[in-house]
Amino acid sequence: MADKKKPRYGAWIIVGVLLLGLAGFGTGGLSGNIRNIGTVGDKDVTVASYQRALNEQIRGLSAQFGQQISFQQAQAFGLDQMALSQVVLLRTLDNEASQLGISVGDARVFERLRSIPSFQGAGGFNRETYRLALQQTGQSAAEFEAEIREETARSLLQGAVVSGIPAPQALADTLVQYVSETRSITWAVVDGDDLTSPVPGATPAAQQEYYDANPDEFTLPESRDITYVWLTPNMIIDDMVVADAAIERLYNERIAEFQQPERRLVERLVYLDQARAEDAVARINAGEATFEDLVAERGLTLTDIDLGDVSQEDLRSAGEAVFAADTGAVVGPYNSPLGPAVFRVNAVLAAQEIPLEEATPELRDELAADAARQFINDSADSIIDLLAGGATMADLAERTDMRLGTINWTPENTEGIAAYDAFRAEAAAVESGQFPEIFDLADGGIFALTLDGIVPPTLQPLDEVRDAVSDAWEAQERQAAVIARAEEISEELLPLTGFETLGLEPFVEEDLTRRAFVEGTPPGFNDALFEMSIGDVRVIDAEDRALIVRLDDISAPDLADEAVIAQREAMAENARAGIAQDIFDAYATALQQSTEQSLNQQTINAVNAQFQ
């Protein structure tokens, strides 16, 4: 069953919206004669490009939230407008590049195709893999390659606009001075063991005072009383009957998983000609270079040349030699689809043969789970009919396989059904008196729910939380006493005073930068250090203890140090890139203002309706 967030009858609503939205556009609809949402200059803005941009925006925000967001939520965040602005900007740049005569040839396009991982086979770029990948996206090769040409031309245009911008060296010097300046300190901890007298217990009056001053600490969050029914594959999986013939058929369909030939983990380093490849092997055999040295000489990494696990057949002419070699051995050169190559064997993967009898339990469970999901899917329509007839959650539990439950739900509750993102989303949104609907769970289950009531944030009576109030008051008073004791001790510290003479265990930290982390210190510790002058002593609150800190030295960065030089160069480059981006943004804005645009809002609305 497909994982959807919408009620099951939502598809019919979408059909109605599309029929209305496409009125007047001809019988072809969006899949017929409507291919563009408008024009920018001489360039068409295609429906497909807008759909892809909007899909990418929705996927990106869904990934941030950790759950699929609806189109209505996407619109609330303005993602549709962002996607539209994005495709319009790109077409504006395409139009300008075309006007300026910027273009790229077939060789550049093919070079780009060869670099795309999803188009690669065992021997590099594979035209059949390329064709199938495009087929899945609904694009033709001509359309995709035209996009590559325009994208490359845009890159050339952008490079022309921002090239030659110098790095702001004065800014980089100032930043590196700020970031790389260091501090040396001595510090010690003062805690409850250093107090000269114990903290008294909280009196009833003190408890009342603390309770009145800190009501949020003793207030229960808003909760929602919900009644629900649900059905998941795991609830009924044991009731599913799986035929032995079905298990055998699935086993045979996936025989490659259970009977795999011997394989090898292999790296392949390709050379331009046979002579260079032979020279590389000779250097390894003579001990003049390692395989890693050869890879580095080519400006590559081991990841770049990793073929993964391959069969003898995958390696073609090199297969027999590679499979006869020991782990770690380098063999070659042998011809490959990309030219003469040297191969290294990283591991031997033994043949795997799992008989049907051994695979049966796993396959039976898989088929039973599929059957359970199908049973739930087939049951959904009859459950919807019951809800339409006025059935309650209790009625559904009595008349179907769904199970009844109640929950006092808060966002912090993630047990049972509340572990599902879909349930939490609906529990947060459901309103009193709302007509119940069937919703899907990520594992193929379904659920429905009703809101029985909302319990607002409630301040717990003092008598029920008196122990917690007393503990909190005592912790507050103890920390105040610790801070006072630390202040008292700090007054005796001078620049040359040994911490040991005051009964403290000192910790010495040298060359701390603003980005340094000192274990055992609270947030803001570094900020406090860099506000101090040499010889200053400061007491820092560390929640359940106090820190006494003395600043012993301030050191300017060593501008001849390689790390500082690298950091300065990185800062200069980042600043240069930021300036370049600002310049390009200004150029793109001016370009959009001077380029004629014509967008058909009705077509855009019709495309948006497909996402609902």
Side-chain angles (χ1 to χ4, degrees), residues 416-480:
I417 192 172
Y420 291 88
D421 291 338
F423 178 84
R424 292 198 298 273
E426 298 304 329
V430 66
E431 298 178 359
S432 182
Q434 180 177 316
F435 184 82
E437 305 168 3
I438 290 295
F439 296 95
D440 295 326
L441 295 170
D443 60 0
I446 56 176
F447 73 96
L449 76 169
T450 56
L451 178 65
D452 302 325
I454 297 177
V455 180
T458 305
L459 178 62
Q460 301 172 86
L462 174 58
D463 287 341
E464 293 183 11
V465 293
R466 192 172 293 277
D467 288 344
V469 171
S470 181
D471 291 343
W473 181 90
E474 290 178 15
Q476 174 183 275
E477 293 302 305
R478 183 181 303 107
Q479 182 63 5

Side-chain angles (χ1 to χ4, degrees), residues 190 194-197 479-494 497 502 504 537-540 546-548:
V190 176
D194 296 297
L195 297 179
T196 56
S197 60
Q479 182 63 5
V482 167
I483 293 292
R485 177 58 180 153
E487 294 283 4
E488 181 183 335
I489 296 174
S490 69
E491 292 178 358
E492 301 180 41
L493 278 173
L494 297 173
T497 303
L502 300 176
L504 300 174
V537 178
R538 180 174 295 191
V539 173
I540 298 176
L547 309 182
I548 300 178

Side-chain angles (χ1 to χ4, degrees), residues 181-197:
E181 190 177 66
T182 63
R183 301 289 190 270
S184 296
I185 63 170
T186 305
W187 65 286
V189 175
V190 176
D191 56 25
D193 293 338
D194 296 297
L195 297 179
T196 56
S197 60

Side-chain angles (χ1 to χ4, degrees), residues 144-481:
F144 184 74
E145 288 165 18
E147 287 184 5
I148 289 180
R149 291 182 198 278
E150 291 181 328
E151 180 185 339
T152 307
R154 285 198 303 269
S155 298
L156 293 173
L157 175 61
Q158 182 173 4
V161 172
V162 302
S163 61
I165 296 175
Q169 302 298 339
L171 175 60
D173 291 340
T174 302
L175 289 175
V176 81
Q177 287 279 353
Y178 178 83
V179 171
S180 300
E181 190 177 66
T182 63
R183 301 289 190 270
S184 296
I185 63 170
T186 305
W187 65 286
V189 175
V190 176
D191 56 25
D193 293 338
D194 296 297
L195 297 179
T196 56
S197 60
V199 175
T203 64
Q207 294 171 356
Q208 184 69 55
E209 180 181 359
Y210 188 89
Y211 175 81
D212 292 340
N214 301 278
D216 290 347
E217 293 184 29
F218 311 105
T219 298
L220 296 174
E222 177 185 280
S223 62
R224 314 187 110 215
D225 292 328
I226 291 173
T227 299
Y228 64 91
V229 286
W230 64 325
L231 182 61
T232 68
N234 281 340
M235 293 178 183
I236 58 174
I237 193 169
D238 292 337
D239 299 329
M240 298 296 105
V241 177
V242 179
D244 291 339
I247 296 174
E248 185 174 358
R249 183 166 56 252
L250 182 59
Y251 176 82
N252 290 329
E253 289 174 356
R254 292 162 47 185
I255 193 67
E257 295 180 26
F258 303 106
Q259 295 187 12
Q260 294 184 354
E262 190 173 322
R263 301 175 73 81
R264 297 290 187 273
L265 294 180
V266 176
E267 293 163 338
R268 179 187 64 192
L269 183 59
V270 179
Y271 283 87
L272 296 176
D273 55 53
Q274 184 74 12
R276 296 183 186 183
E278 290 175 352
D279 179 66
V281 174
R283 290 172 60 197
I284 289 178
N285 293 338
E288 298 174 359
T290 65
F291 188 76
E292 287 81 0
D293 293 335
L294 299 180
V295 174
E297 288 174 4
R298 297 293 311 280
L300 301 172
T301 67
L302 294 178
T303 302
D304 296 329
I305 64 170
D306 185 18
L307 293 181
D309 62 292
V310 293
S311 66
Q312 184 170 337
E313 183 179 344
D314 293 334
L315 294 172
R316 302 184 184 183
S317 62
E320 184 176 351
V322 169
F323 271 67
D326 295 330
T327 299
V330 176
V331 299
Y334 294 97
N335 287 329
S336 76
L338 298 180
V342 178
F343 297 81
R344 181 168 72 172
V345 181
N346 287 322
V348 175
L349 304 180
Q352 175 179 286
E353 294 187 9
I354 301 176
L356 173 61
E357 295 74 16
E358 188 176 333
T360 290
E362 176 185 341
L363 295 177
R364 186 184 299 278
D365 288 344
E366 183 177 331
L367 289 171
D370 288 342
R373 284 190 286 270
Q374 187 60 49
F375 175 84
I376 293 171
N377 193 48
D378 293 342
S379 303
D381 288 339
S382 62
I383 295 171
I384 290 173
D385 291 341
L386 289 173
L387 286 174
T392 64
M393 299 296 101
D395 293 334
L396 291 182
E398 182 179 348
R399 300 170 64 178
T400 72
D401 291 297
M402 300 189 82
R403 299 184 185 180
L404 184 68
T406 60
I407 186 172
N408 183 247
W409 184 80
T410 68
E412 290 74 32
N413 189 341
T414 58
E415 297 181 357
I417 192 172
Y420 291 88
D421 291 338
F423 178 84
R424 292 198 298 273
E426 298 304 329
V430 66
E431 298 178 359
S432 182
Q434 180 177 316
F435 184 82
E437 305 168 3
I438 290 295
F439 296 95
D440 295 326
L441 295 170
D443 60 0
I446 56 176
F447 73 96
L449 76 169
T450 56
L451 178 65
D452 302 325
I454 297 177
V455 180
T458 305
L459 178 62
Q460 301 172 86
L462 174 58
D463 287 341
E464 293 183 11
V465 293
R466 192 172 293 277
D467 288 344
V469 171
S470 181
D471 291 343
W473 181 90
E474 290 178 15
Q476 174 183 275
E477 293 302 305
R478 183 181 303 107
Q479 182 63 5

